[in-house]
Amino acid sequence: MKLCIIKPPLPFGWAPIVPPILEYLAALTLRANPDIEIELVYASATPDVFDTLECDLAAISLLTPTAVPGYRIADTLRVRGIKVVFGGIHASAMPEEAKLHGDAVVIGEAESVWPTVIRDFLAGRLKPFYQGERIPLDDLPTPLYGMLKGKEQFRIVNTSRGCPYNCTFCSVKPFFGPQIRFRPIDDVVRDVAAMAEKMYINGDENIWWEGTEQRAIDLFTALRGSGKKWMGFGSLRPVLSSAGSRMLNAARESGLLSLWVGWDAISDEGLKAYAANGKVGVDRERAVRTLKDHGIDVSLFYMLGGRDDTLDDFKRSIEVADRLGVSMHPSLLVPYPGTKLREEYEPHLYKELGWEYYTGAYALFEHPDPAMTPAMREQQFYESSLELLSMPRILRHMFKIPRQGFPHAHILSLMSQVPVRKGMKIAYEQWKKDHLTVQEKRLIL
Ligand code: B12
Ligand code: SF4
């Protein structure tokens, strides 16, 4: 039997990161049945393979912005008699929708059910739906790092799942659940050692949590011997805890170059509107300075254009970037399926806009402020993104990156901003041509 594991094309094209699900689901598959032949397909890198792709079963991983191309791929394959099974965060939030384009849908995490799916397929009795359990993470296989051949430079390691907070916009928490589940540190060290690359990404939603700083210190201490550099997402509250300084030193010594922070909203009022309680009341700017004082570069990710945000927030975000000397990456707020935010925004959604618009570059709901028209929000998104990515600002930021990270953090900073700037310019030009057509869809209610 041959299995193809497919990551549909990402909304903004190819990224130099191997989609983690490909090599990980391959490892889970061979653990369940070592006789299965596997082909991995990263559709952003090889978009034209689907008319000729040969396999018995296609496993397609869906995020919301990749759902529409994922369904298109499935429809193409099924015409040729190939069975399709969907999984991932979007398929789990919208299983009935996914089933319209596939033979089976795995809801939830793969580990507990994937062997059953394979067995059922081989026996010719695939069921329409499978429910994955949230199991302890003490026996996950190492992804088959290196199996995807391409020019991608980064691979991902995951060390935990789950989150105790309840930010209304978050689609990760409803999927992975309220308990933080950690992987054994030895397993993480084993996985990092298995990657050929000298730099990697920690794909956890959060690399440290308040109350478990010692676990983070133990993990970082164990990773010191890898000799590899890394980056990942981390929250700000633990940075200011009593163990914060020890934790940051351990993180830097383990190779952490750059921390990506979910800044989420510009104002504290915005954070409260999202019930982002892990962030409310934290002196966020002091935490960013503390990180930089410990030799770690910082990038902030945040959302604009929410119903509680103002036009002024677009401008204020640029001031924050300049004051802190960090790179900032906005997106327009997206009410993902399965989130509390989607329920709250339901009466205001532009329902004619399908999942292909859920990329963070479109206004997806009405705003109470008449000045925040969809066109204004989208234009402000592009203008402020391009302002943040202006060459003088990128270069000024380079001089504010902690010297301990030289040269890797500086190269990374350029790599993560210059191509995005180029892509953003192209997207903005396209938007200027297309946005009136999108606006027509909003008017069909
Ligand atoms: C690393 C990461 C990235 C990386 C790499 C993405 C990639 N190439 O795949 C980068 C930084 C490039 C990225 C970019 C984006 N990302 Co991202 N990313 C993540 C992150 C933090 C971790 C992903 C990870 O490590 N997964 C590990 C794998 C193993 O987990 P998994 O895929 O969920 O798989 C498990 C299950 O879902 C299931 N499963 C999944 N697929 C399948 C398929 C089958 C058949 C089966 C049986 C099971 C199954 O089994 C697995 C094990 O249990 C997640 C947040 C998170 N914690 O999940 C966000 C996340 C996936 N990203 C998200 C988004 C929106 C984006 C962007 C669109 C953001 C933007 N506006 O720019 C961009 C797209 C960029 C582009 N080029 O187009 C959202 C998706 C939301 C949604 N509802 O769809 C998430 C969930 C973050 C969030 N806060 O909401 N991202
Ligand atoms: S966004 Fe909020 S709820 Fe989601 S994982 Fe991060 S802290 Fe948890």
Side-chain angles (χ1 to χ4, degrees):
M1 168 203 167
K2 181 173 172 192
L3 169 75
C4 284
I5 308 175
I6 299 170
K7 178 82 179 174
L10 295 165
F12 305 117
W14 178 83
I17 302 170
V18 175
I21 188 63
L22 296 180
E23 295 179 332
Y24 181 63
L25 200 60
L28 282 182
T29 305
L30 290 192
R31 178 189 267 194
N33 185 333
D35 296 329
I36 293 177
E37 186 192 342
I38 298 175
E39 181 173 344
L40 305 182
V41 183
Y42 177 20
S44 296
T46 51
D48 304 323
V49 297
F50 296 105
D51 287 335
T52 51
L53 193 69
E54 299 280 353
C55 59
D56 304 295
L57 179 66
I60 305 184
S61 181
L62 295 182
L63 294 177
T64 303
T66 66
V68 171
Y71 295 150
R72 222 174 281 135
I73 291 167
D75 296 344
T76 307
L77 298 180
R78 291 176 89 206
V79 167
R80 302 215 310 275
I82 297 170
K83 297 272 184 215
V84 168
V85 51
F86 288 114
I89 292 182
H90 184 80
S92 301
M94 303 296 296
E96 301 287 345
E97 171 193 286
K99 182 65 187 64
L100 296 175
H101 300 269
D103 299 285
V105 181
V106 173
I107 302 162
E109 298 178 24
E111 290 76 6
S112 65
V113 280
W114 189 234
T116 312
V117 178
I118 292 173
R119 221 176 304 128
D120 286 359
F121 172 75
L122 287 170
R125 50 179 160 79
L126 213 45
K127 295 193 194 68
F129 298 103
Y130 293 85
Q131 178 68 55
E133 305 296 324
R134 292 180 186 138
I135 58 162
L137 305 182
D138 48 15
D139 187 27
L140 303 189
T142 302
L144 295 179
Y145 292 129
M147 190 176 193
L148 185 81
K149 308 283 178 223
K151 55 187 168 70
E152 292 74 27
Q153 292 122 332
F154 298 104
R155 288 190 149 77
I156 289 179
V157 66
N158 291 93
T159 92
S160 69
R161 291 182 191 164
C163 170
Y165 293 113
N166 292 303
C167 309
T168 58
F169 56 80
C170 179
S171 61
V172 177
K173 156 74 186 268
F175 185 82
F176 288 121
Q179 308 292 342
I180 308 170
R181 286 167 290 150
F182 291 115
R183 294 184 64 200
I185 287 176
D186 287 348
D187 287 8
V188 178
V189 171
R190 175 197 73 197
D191 287 5
V192 168
M195 289 179 213
E197 295 81 8
K198 289 280 173 223
M199 232 186 255
Y200 64 95
I201 292 172
N202 177 323
D204 296 353
E205 198 53 32
N206 192 0
I207 62 171
W208 47 47
W209 302 89
E210 54 275 29
T212 60
E213 287 88 350
Q214 189 54 49
R215 191 264 176 192
I217 293 171
D218 293 344
L219 173 69
F220 301 147
T221 307
L223 286 170
R224 257 174 93 160
S226 77
K228 297 184 181 182
K229 307 285 183 199
W230 62 280
M231 50 246 146
F233 287 96
S235 60
L236 293 177
R237 194 184 283 274
V239 168
L240 299 177
S241 72
S242 57
S245 188
R246 266 191 318 125
M247 187 180 74
L248 298 187
N249 285 331
R252 192 194 58 249
E253 285 161 15
S254 74
L256 175 60
L257 290 174
S258 180
L259 189 76
W260 300 331
V261 174
W263 194 257
D264 299 346
I266 293 302
S267 65
D268 250 29
E269 292 70 45
L271 288 179
K272 283 182 196 145
Y274 296 139
N277 296 331
K279 289 154 195 159
V280 173
V282 176
D283 187 343
R284 297 189 288 166
E285 297 205 4
R286 183 159 76 86
V288 170
R289 290 197 187 92
T290 306
L291 279 156
K292 296 187 83 170
D293 290 346
H294 285 77
I296 298 165
D297 190 27
V298 180
S299 292
L300 306 181
F301 291 78
Y302 62 106
M303 297 159 297
L304 290 165
R307 286 177 55 83
D308 294 278
D309 292 331
T310 64
L311 208 47
D312 207 35
D313 287 333
F314 288 89
K315 235 184 357 252
R316 283 174 63 198
S317 59
I318 296 168
E319 291 160 15
V320 175
D322 288 345
R323 200 162 53 240
L324 293 174
V326 295
S327 60
M328 289 188 67
H329 304 271
S331 70
L332 288 177
L333 179 63
V334 180
Y336 288 115
T339 63
K340 181 90 186 349
L341 184 80
R342 189 162 183 91
E343 282 170 33
E344 280 172 21
Y345 278 30
E346 186 65 36
H348 313 291
L349 293 175
Y350 294 126
K351 297 209 170 66
E352 292 303 314
L353 297 187
W355 303 128
E356 66 274 34
Y357 294 96
Y358 281 57
T359 62
Y362 290 96
L364 298 166
F365 45 83
E366 294 163 333
H367 198 284
D369 177 355
M372 291 273 262
T373 61
M376 176 60 93
R377 276 176 276 164
E378 289 169 0
Q379 186 191 19
Q380 286 292 313
F381 160 72
Y382 284 112
E383 296 273 351
S384 64
S385 298
L386 285 170
E387 177 79 45
L388 285 161
L389 291 166
S390 71
M391 273 327 276
R393 197 169 263 106
I394 291 177
L395 293 174
R396 265 204 314 275
H397 171 219
M398 294 280 284
F399 287 102
K400 295 189 176 164
I401 296 174
R403 65 180 159 69
Q404 294 94 323
F406 186 80
H408 301 93
H410 298 73
I411 296 168
L412 258 182
S413 172
L414 277 182
M415 270 178 70
S416 63
Q417 293 186 81
V418 176
V420 179
R421 175 187 149 77
K422 199 171 150 214
M424 192 65 78
K425 275 184 155 175
I426 296 169
Y428 190 22
E429 289 312 309
Q430 194 60 41
W431 177 84
K432 286 179 191 164
K433 289 187 202 134
D434 292 350
H435 78 278
L436 291 177
T437 324
V438 181
Q439 181 57 11
E440 276 169 24
K441 292 195 183 192
R442 290 196 184 92
L443 299 175
I444 310 168
L445 286 175

